[in-house]
Amino acid sequence: MSGRTVSSAIVVLVLGSFFATLCDVFIKMAGPDVAVFQLTFFRAVFMCMILLPIALFKYQRMEKSTALMGVKLHFLRGNLWVLAGVLLTISLAALPLATANAVFYTAPIFIMLLGAFFYKERLSIHVIAAALLGFIGILIILRPTEITFGMISAILFAVVLAANSLLIKKIPQEQSMMYGLCITQLFALPSAGALAWWEGAVFTPDILIFAALSSVCSISYSLACLVGYRYVASSQVTSAEYSGLIFAFLLGWWWFGETPDWAVFVGSLFVILPLLYLSHQDIRRLRKGQSLTNTRANLGAG
């Protein structure tokens, strides 16, 4: 799939969403008693092992000054990745797969809110309404008669994921995504290793399997995003990523015997439908802009 057309980009992103959900499946398979910091550390190790040959290949073909750009940013993103990995593991251990993923999909809402706070991006009435409906959706999904650590972890994971996504804007354009991802993971190793050592959990070979499989799926998702968003406007294809919630429903039912109740479905609609509406509005603005450009070009040609 080239990702050069809207249809092929959508297919790529749907495949990417499947790999993202599969990553969650392998983390959840590690069990509720998994050594959280140890699993996070080995995930970082395997991601570095996979990405390092690619990063070295890119390094040989770029200016050495370019290779060292954004070091502080990669350091920050690496440590945020460790925090996100820990929160992801805790939430998946405590919540059903579909429930956790439904909460994770509030990340775009937090991206808009954090973007307004840090980058002074304008919040329209539609964005505010989407945020309010998204938070109502969280309450419907979780039905918090009591606040659990798993619930808090799922929400915090969405917040950290949003923050890390916003920082992508600051990554130097001269660096490729895969090179930057490798540097980020290298910076994640010290803190993840220190936490794993502090945890002092007994090592089991199974954790290597789950860490390796989830790392492969995570990188596959990153590659899918790289291809899917490279040639077409993100607003035209971003809704394809919500297919991951369908995969979470199906894999949760097939793999773990989980049957989502009405609250998960209704709450998911509160989260996703407003985001789909905002995406549709972006597409309309894009088409309107293109139409205006074409009209001006025709007038100029006349």
Side-chain angles (χ1 to χ4, degrees):
M1 293 292 176
S2 65
R4 293 179 180 273
T5 63
V6 172
S7 57
S8 64
I10 288 174
V11 172
V12 169
L13 289 174
V14 169
L15 287 173
S17 295
F18 174 73
F19 281 114
T21 309
L22 206 57
C23 174
D24 293 347
V25 167
F26 290 128
I27 293 174
K28 189 173 180 63
M29 285 178 66
D33 300 322
V34 66
V36 176
F37 296 138
Q38 191 178 112
L39 177 62
T40 303
F41 170 68
F42 282 123
R43 285 186 65 211
V45 169
F46 279 111
M47 289 185 74
C48 287
M49 290 172 60
I50 297 169
L51 291 169
L52 197 55
I54 302 174
L56 290 174
F57 177 80
K58 297 288 185 181
Y59 178 79
Q60 292 174 349
R61 284 160 176 76
M62 69 170 68
E63 295 289 336
K64 299 305 178 281
S65 58
T66 301
L68 298 175
M69 294 173 64
V71 171
K72 293 180 180 179
L73 178 64
H74 291 307
F75 175 81
L76 176 59
R77 293 191 71 240
N79 285 278
L80 282 176
W81 182 90
V82 174
L83 177 58
V86 170
L87 293 170
L88 174 65
T89 305
I90 293 172
S91 56
L92 288 172
L95 299 174
L97 186 66
T99 300
N101 271 267
V103 178
F104 298 162
Y105 276 97
T106 59
I109 296 173
F110 290 114
I111 288 175
M112 291 183 288
L113 296 178
L114 291 174
F117 183 79
F118 289 106
Y119 296 124
K120 309 302 179 184
E121 296 176 356
R122 188 176 66 87
L123 283 179
S124 67
I125 187 65
H126 299 299
V127 171
I128 296 172
L132 291 174
L133 290 172
F135 292 130
I136 292 172
I138 292 176
L139 294 176
I140 295 173
I141 293 166
L142 297 178
R143 285 168 297 172
T145 52
E146 61 174 340
I147 303 298
T148 66
F149 199 40
M151 294 178 182
I152 297 173
S153 295
I155 297 172
L156 288 178
F157 171 76
V159 174
V160 176
L161 184 65
N164 221 348
S165 298
L166 278 175
L167 289 174
I168 292 176
K169 291 183 177 182
K170 294 184 174 293
I171 293 178
Q173 295 295 319
E174 297 85 353
Q175 293 179 351
S176 71
M177 180 179 173
M178 300 309 292
Y179 176 84
L181 184 59
C182 180
I183 301 302
T184 295
Q185 294 304 134
L186 287 173
F187 277 122
L189 285 176
S191 56
L195 287 171
W197 176 80
W198 174 80
E199 187 177 34
V202 177
F203 170 77
T204 57
D206 289 349
I207 204 168
L208 292 178
I209 298 173
F210 297 128
L213 292 174
S214 62
S215 297
V216 170
C217 291
S218 183
I219 292 174
S220 298
Y221 170 69
S222 297
L223 284 171
C225 289
L226 177 63
V227 174
Y229 289 116
R230 185 170 188 176
Y231 299 107
V232 299
S234 59
S235 58
Q236 292 183 293
V237 294
T238 189
S239 58
E241 289 205 57
Y242 298 124
S243 60
L245 194 54
I246 299 173
F247 294 131
F249 286 135
L250 295 176
L251 291 175
W253 167 73
W254 181 57
W255 220 307
F256 304 106
E258 301 168 351
T259 304
D261 57 16
W262 63 269
V264 177
F265 289 106
V266 174
S268 299
L269 291 177
F270 271 81
V271 172
I272 291 176
L273 288 181
L275 295 174
L276 289 175
Y277 174 77
L278 291 176
S279 178
H280 176 68
Q281 291 293 96
D282 285 341
I283 293 173
R284 288 183 61 185
R285 280 194 293 270
L286 181 65
R287 288 175 177 171
K288 186 176 180 180
Q290 288 176 338
S291 176
L292 183 60
T293 300
N294 292 336
T295 300
R296 288 173 175 169
N298 290 333
L299 289 172

